[in-house]
Amino acid sequence: MKDYIEKNQDRFVTELTDLLKIPSVSTDSKYKEDVLRTAKAIKERLIEAGADNVEVCKTKGFPIVYGEKLVDPSKPTVLVYGHYDVQPADPLALWNSPPFEPVIKDGKIYARGACDDKGQMYMHVKAFETMMNTNSLYCNVKFMIEGEEEIGSEHLQTFVKENKERLKADVILISDTSMIANDTPSVTVGLRGLSYMEVEITGPNRDLHSGLYGGGVANPINILTKMIASLTDENNRITIPGFYDKVVEVSQEERAAMAKAPFVEQNFKTSIGIPASVGEVGYSTTERVTIRPTLDVNGIWGGYTDEGAKTVIPSKANAKISMRLVPHQSSDEITKLFTKHFESIAPEGVTVKVTPHHGGEPVVIPTDSVFYKAASKAYETTFGKEPIPMRAGGSIPIVPMFKKELGLDSIMMGFGIDTDAIHSPNEHFGIFNYMKGIETIPFFYKYLAELS
Ligand code: BES
Ligand code: MN
Ligand code: MN
């Protein structure tokens, strides 16, 4: 198997860079044809790799690519999930090479989607090809690759509900998270949830001369910034009443185990160019970005922002605000608490409108299952080290949904690292990581078949 992977490495890389050339940005309708083209390309690649019943399944949004190989009904079935859509590439000016013209530099592939998630998704297609061509596929496998992850997976939810029989499996396998470092493998055993809000403050019915009216009118931007500032206190805790009510405090044992995972505060700071890390009092940086809930403004706009100065009191001010959630917070509940609170703190002289965007629930994955054991043994085989179970700060809302609708846990074997700049300019994925993924995944199947 190792032989096969080494012999085919160059082709594996070229196939991935070909896929990365298609700008499958799901949030921007101008890329619609490209997103559809990506689905077709994945269908072709799955057929070539040896999958049966490969289909581009239509939905009311972007399609889901399905394919399967059922080798033996007495063997476990692995349902592989991944996404072929990517985040927008902007700000373009900050890329060192065009985002959809992949470049290999210092052993890394630079392109939008290189890591999140085309590169990590494609490892599974190539691992599957490897198992097929070396007679070593010991489990049944089903692929379900969607094109709407970055916009909330709305139509995948319907697809899952309507295809429970076809999607029957024992476990879900996903590579869409990261590991601690190239010499420190980890399995992702938790994800944060998400509530995403948009708010609008309206003052006067038109933009006003700030000399004629200034002083006598509530300025929506002044108001909005004050309201936002009041959402966190001096300890960086969120002030929305009831926000922490359902938060489960992680046990001292688990916190102690987390603290053992290698984390260099200085590297964290220098890699993103900050003079100090900042967050909720009483928690370490690792804890703040994984097991604690957050509130962040993602964007804010209003008034005059072009060249020069314009003396104006704007009619409106807007912001997008997201909250990352942890067990057992519920996205719907937090959305309601936020809305109620934000409306209640609006002062006289303005009106406030709160609109929720997509959300998702937090999730924790048990580590005492055969699935986790199979993953752990797989990493041990290829890295020579047991992986560390780690909770991730990001969100994949369909993971808790799979549990709810299909009753299945997800094993999240991420091979990227946090510095791969996913969602940022110059996103990249190490060829080491890509190849290590392709090498490790078949061992998961092997050990799962043996342990089941
Ligand atoms: N793959 C990421 C999530 C991720 C990355 C989790 C690294 C853990 C570690 C996924 O594509 C993503 O970006 N999710 C979004 C949520 C989604 C609803 C847009 C996120 O976390 O912001
Ligand atoms: Mn992703
Ligand atoms: Mn993403």
Side-chain angles (χ1 to χ4, degrees):
M1 209 157 54
K2 205 166 175 178
D3 231 36
Y4 182 90
I5 294 172
E6 267 164 25
K7 276 201 191 107
N8 289 284
Q9 169 162 340
D10 290 349
R11 179 173 55 84
F12 287 177
V13 171
T14 309
E15 284 179 17
L16 173 57
T17 52
D18 283 346
L19 209 54
L20 291 168
K21 286 178 188 161
I22 321 178
S24 50
V25 181
S26 50
T27 196
D28 187 341
S29 56
K30 102 169 161 264
Y31 295 106
K32 187 172 170 210
E33 288 310 314
D34 295 304
V35 182
L36 296 173
R37 204 148 56 84
T38 311
K40 286 201 194 103
I42 291 162
K43 174 186 166 182
E44 294 309 319
R45 299 293 88 76
L46 274 173
I47 293 172
E48 286 163 13
D52 300 326
N53 304 318
V54 184
E55 198 189 320
V56 174
C57 307
K58 286 213 172 86
T59 70
K60 289 198 174 127
F62 288 121
I64 291 149
V65 188
Y66 180 84
E68 62 187 18
K69 189 78 200 179
L70 308 179
V71 291
D72 179 348
S74 72
K75 297 287 181 200
T77 301
V78 177
L79 176 57
V80 174
Y81 164 83
H83 65 93
Y84 64 82
D85 63 323
V86 301
Q87 283 280 326
D90 64 277
L92 280 178
L94 297 184
W95 283 78
N96 298 327
S97 54
F100 298 107
E101 293 171 28
V103 163
I104 297 174
K105 216 177 95 191
D106 305 328
K108 298 177 190 108
I109 307 169
Y110 284 82
R112 172 55 87 232
C115 176
D116 184 12
D117 181 41
K118 279 178 178 158
Q120 296 216 72
M121 174 272 293
Y122 205 62
M123 295 180 317
H124 288 269
V125 181
K126 293 299 99 178
F128 171 65
E129 177 199 308
T130 302
M131 291 186 279
M132 287 295 287
N133 289 344
T134 55
N135 267 320
S136 48
L137 179 62
Y138 304 115
C139 295
N140 304 302
V141 54
K142 298 178 176 179
F143 287 93
M144 175 171 64
I145 315 294
E146 72 152 323
E148 296 190 328
E149 197 278 340
E150 300 291 6
I151 51 173
S153 303
E154 188 190 327
H155 300 99
L156 179 70
Q157 297 197 24
T158 325
F159 182 81
V160 167
K161 285 182 188 148
E162 287 173 356
N163 289 275
K164 287 191 177 166
E165 197 53 38
R166 171 146 63 151
L167 299 176
K168 245 192 174 145
D170 294 280
V171 68
I172 293 178
L173 181 60
I174 305 178
S175 295
D176 193 21
T177 56
S178 33
M179 57 179 185
I180 295 173
N182 283 359
D183 61 357
T184 315
S186 54
V187 176
T188 305
V189 294
L191 294 165
R192 286 195 283 195
L194 185 68
S195 284
Y196 199 113
M197 321 296 296
E198 186 160 336
V199 298
E200 180 174 81
I201 302 293
T202 305
N205 60 8
R206 59 187 165 86
D207 288 6
L208 303 173
H209 189 293
S210 67
L212 299 186
Y213 291 92
V217 176
N219 178 321
I221 299 181
N222 294 25
I223 301 289
L224 176 62
T225 50
K226 269 194 201 161
M227 287 168 72
I228 289 172
S230 79
L231 295 176
T232 45
D233 68 14
E234 66 282 6
N235 293 323
N236 289 310
R237 281 180 63 91
I238 294 145
T239 58
I240 299 168
F243 184 86
Y244 291 96
D245 283 3
K246 301 271 171 77
V247 171
V248 180
E249 282 292 330
V250 172
S251 69
Q252 280 309 325
E253 290 78 38
E254 199 179 331
R255 288 181 72 182
M258 279 183 76
K260 284 203 196 111
F263 177 80
V264 184
E265 187 87 22
Q266 193 55 44
N267 295 353
F268 174 80
K269 290 189 284 189
T270 48
S271 73
I272 50 174
I274 52 167
S277 45
V278 171
E280 187 181 355
V281 167
Y283 295 90
S284 70
T285 300
T286 307
E287 290 170 342
R288 288 168 180 170
V289 301
T290 56
I291 59 166
R292 297 300 297 167
T294 65
L295 183 149
D296 278 293
V297 180
N298 300 98
I300 184 162
W301 66 100
Y304 184 74
T305 55
D306 285 344
E307 201 180 325
K310 180 186 180 194
T311 47
V312 65
I313 295 174
S315 164
K316 285 181 192 302
N318 302 72
K320 292 184 197 277
I321 302 172
S322 67
M323 289 160 284
R324 295 280 169 176
L325 314 178
V326 301
H328 294 304
Q329 287 176 301
S330 123
S331 178
D332 275 351
E333 234 170 78
I334 292 296
T335 297
K336 284 198 191 100
L337 289 177
F338 177 94
T339 306
K340 190 171 158 222
H341 178 67
F342 207 71
E343 285 170 355
S344 80
I345 60 173
E348 257 186 344
V350 297
T351 55
V352 53
K353 193 168 109 200
V354 180
T355 316
H357 283 268
H358 56 236
E361 305 304 334
V363 68
V364 174
I365 305 291
T367 54
D368 57 0
S369 68
V370 290
F371 312 115
Y372 184 86
K373 275 193 199 90
S376 181
K377 277 187 79 170
Y379 282 97
E380 231 184 300
T381 306
T382 56
F383 284 83
K385 268 186 198 175
E386 234 184 81
I388 298 172
M390 278 291 291
R391 294 211 212 173
S395 309
I396 311 178
I398 37 76
V399 169
M401 207 270 293
F402 288 149
K403 180 74 186 175
K404 185 164 160 249
E405 296 298 332
L406 302 172
L408 300 179
D409 278 320
S410 297
I411 291 296
M412 292 181 275
M413 300 173 71
F415 290 92
I417 46 178
D418 280 348
T419 48
D420 286 342
I422 65 171
H423 294 207
S424 298
N426 305 310
E427 175 177 354
H428 53 274
F429 192 34
I431 291 176
F432 167 85
N433 305 69
Y434 180 56
M435 298 312 296
K436 214 54 174 174
I438 296 170
E439 191 191 334
T440 308
I441 291 162
F443 284 105
F444 172 76
Y445 287 74
K446 178 175 184 279
Y447 294 130
L448 179 60
E450 283 176 18
L451 292 167
S452 294

